[in-house]
Amino acid sequence: MWLPALLYVLALGLRLTWIGLVPSKPVGDFAMYLESATYLLEHGRFDPQFIYMPGYVLLAAGVQALGGTWWATKVAGALLAAAGAPLVFGMARRLWGGRAATVAGLLYALWPGGIGVASVTGTDIPAAVLVAAAAWALLQARPDTPWRAALVAGTFFGLAAWIRAVALPLAPLSVFFLRARTGSWRRATAGAACTTLAAALVLAPWGFRNHARYGAWFLTDSHGGLTALVGAYPNSDGQFTRALNRMVETVTGTPWLGEPHREADARAYEEAKRWTRFEPRYALGLAIQRADKLLSNERSLLYWPLYRDGVLREPAAGFFERWRPEIERATDLFWWALLASCLAGTVLGALERRPETLGLLPFQLALAGVYVLFFAESRYHLPIAVLAFPNAAGCAVRAWDAVRLRRVPPLPDAPAPAPAPAKALWNLAAALIATALVLALSWVTVSWGDSLRARHRFAVHACEVKGLWHYCLWRSADPGRSGRPSPVKGVFDGVGLSLGPEETGAETLLALGPGSHRLHAQLTAIAPGQTGGEASLLLDGRERARVPLSRLHGGLGLTLSFETQGAVRLAIRGTAPQEGQVWLEGLRVE
């Protein structure tokens, strides 16, 4: 058909034009992919710190082997990204008909977020397009013999997992699509097994490589635990920071991304689970924050190609900075309209009793669930967004027909007749009300998550206990502070306490054996222009040192000797006439 080809050309042309007009310099993860590709070509193996899925690096290495620069790698990414237009066209045509297919393809081609990330080079869009190809293949399944479509879909899922491992768990979820296509759970389950097997076979070479490299059979990467640790890190509210790298290296003796990869990743995963159990209400607040970051806007996508320092030169950098509010507003408006339309389209599909329109939802929920559970960035939602275009376009076409009181034309393979105009209008109203309720509930949930993080924030830092390094975890010494924010703050080597007229406190539990011990620490106050106030250290509720804040502005070393029969609870408390802070650093027990 000529229309999908025309949509591909449109999408490709817009992305290539953007690449030419916005010559962003790859930075961060995007630069790392290119550096890994260069290392692979020069040494014939991945670099010692490579713990990711290799698909995109292999693609970049292929481009470099042909003499291409990072600009050529962007072009290769654009060629693949443009394939999303005919794919969402094909899905929307099957689900909602030809007019919705055209709308879906045009929306994808004009998608500001998708165009914006074309001028950087990364894994998200290629993986998203391959996942969309798998969903398109599932929609081609024959009701009586779905095996061929299931195998093709599994191949695409496997290729996507070569780029991002999160695509692999999507293969078993094809059972919902196949159930809608076949009308039989038995055939759907067998087809989903075929899809999963095909994906595993595509990934088999990576499994052999991992067995040769690590002595274990697995088909994923080796940084899930590290990612979970970043997502659970309380000192930065789950944001990546080099302070965490330094703390992990201090405690474990292993550099971040250093070998042994599998052991380091397993340790990080266990520590992430311990931090989550230590304060589950804060962990819940972080999960809600990750969901908000993943789905709330697309302006964050523009950071890498436009607004990070050093990615653009003048005059392009100045131009985009002058128009930044308008550009970000337009990008977010498109995303909010797409998200709301997708939600409404999904509800419309349910009301019209067409289960195929619900088949994309398990993929989207699974992708969101993985990122909310571990770690989220705005660009991680790109696969979710690509899968949103078919139902969003279906909603737009249904709304147009409903407000014109036009009878919906029959759809291919529809199990139920198209609704009459009045019924279609009622369905649209119900879908819009449901969408509004979901969005309102999301806003309330995000506000609740912010409150949970503020009230239950804890801190973690590296501390030395009896010659060994540990993670010391601190929480507010008065958890039920009438809903007030937690005063606890953290850095890689210490804990801070916000001070005010009312006494605040923080405490940690030190696992010690019976005997005599000596504790060393340094107290430092940050309370400019204040007189009065004091800080104290307590062991098992007994005050062992009390110091005026005026003596702590330059730091004061303290040593406490004590006897204990086991674990001891160390606490720091303080007051100040006005807002201030006191920090305990360099904690060491011998």
Side-chain angles (χ1 to χ4, degrees), residues 4 98 121 141 144 173 186 214 345 365 423 449 477 536 545 575:
T121 177
D144 52 343
L173 296 178
R186 182 179 61 83
Y214 299 112
L365 292 177
K423 178 63 174 177
S536 57
T575 59

Side-chain angles (χ1 to χ4, degrees), residues 256-334:
W256 190 262
L257 305 185
E259 300 189 58
H261 296 152
R262 298 294 290 173
E263 291 81 353
D265 197 53
R267 287 198 303 267
Y269 185 64
E270 290 301 317
E271 195 60 39
K273 290 193 292 185
R274 186 168 80 97
W275 294 357
T276 299
R277 291 192 299 266
F278 181 76
E279 186 47 85
R281 289 169 293 186
Y282 178 79
L284 177 58
L286 271 186
I288 295 171
Q289 181 196 50
R290 288 193 288 271
D292 181 49
K293 184 188 302 183
L294 182 70
L295 298 172
S296 64
N297 65 73
E298 284 200 330
R299 66 178 57 195
S300 301
L301 296 177
L302 304 179
Y303 171 73
W304 299 102
L306 296 180
Y307 297 122
R308 174 165 170 162
D309 291 339
V311 300
L312 279 182
R313 297 179 179 178
E314 296 295 347
F319 172 83
F320 285 109
E321 189 60 42
R322 286 192 299 273
W323 290 92
R324 182 170 184 170
E326 291 78 10
I327 293 172
E328 291 184 337
R329 190 178 302 116
T331 302
D332 281 346
L333 285 174
F334 186 99

Side-chain angles (χ1 to χ4, degrees), residues 25-38:
K25 177 183 177 181
V27 292
D29 287 352
F30 309 103
M32 181 271 295
Y33 300 137
L34 300 180
E35 292 166 359
S36 296
T38 302

Side-chain angles (χ1 to χ4, degrees), residues 18 45 50 83 93 120 131 177 223 261 270 314 317 348 414 423 452 480 503:
W18 178 259
R45 56 183 173 84
F50 188 83
R93 182 178 178 82
V120 291
V131 168
F177 250 141
H223 80 295
H261 296 152
E270 290 301 317
E314 296 295 347
L348 279 173
K423 178 63 174 177
L452 286 175
E503 186 180 62

Side-chain angles (χ1 to χ4, degrees), residues 36 38 84 117 179 196 286-287 344 355 370 471 503 543 548 550 552 581:
S36 296
T38 302
V117 296
R179 170 64 177 81
T196 306
L286 271 186
V370 169
Y471 297 106
E503 186 180 62
E543 186 175 88
S550 58
L552 300 180
Q581 295 176 3

Side-chain angles (χ1 to χ4, degrees), residues 196-245:
T196 306
L197 178 61
L201 290 175
V202 171
L203 281 170
W206 182 241
F208 281 103
R209 177 265 181 188
N210 288 334
H211 184 267
R213 176 74 172 79
Y214 299 112
W217 292 98
F218 61 97
L219 299 176
T220 59
D221 49 35
S222 301
H223 80 295
L226 294 173
T227 301
L229 193 68
V230 173
Y233 187 46
N235 297 357
S236 63
D237 258 358
Q239 306 295 313
F240 178 79
T241 169
R242 297 193 182 277
L244 176 60
N245 298 14

Side-chain angles (χ1 to χ4, degrees), residues 153-187:
T155 301
F156 282 123
F157 279 129
L159 292 173
W162 271 92
I163 299 174
R164 291 193 72 87
V166 71
L168 183 59
L170 302 183
L173 296 178
S174 61
V175 66
F176 297 103
F177 250 141
L178 295 173
R179 170 64 177 81
R181 292 296 297 160
T182 64
S184 165
W185 280 111
R186 182 179 61 83
R187 285 196 295 270

Side-chain angles (χ1 to χ4, degrees), residues 31 70 120 127 142 201 222 242 407 456 476 499 540 587:
W70 57 266
V120 291
R142 296 175 180 268
L201 290 175
S222 301
R242 297 193 182 277
R407 177 172 288 278
H456 301 288
S476 171
L499 301 178
D540 282 338
L587 177 61

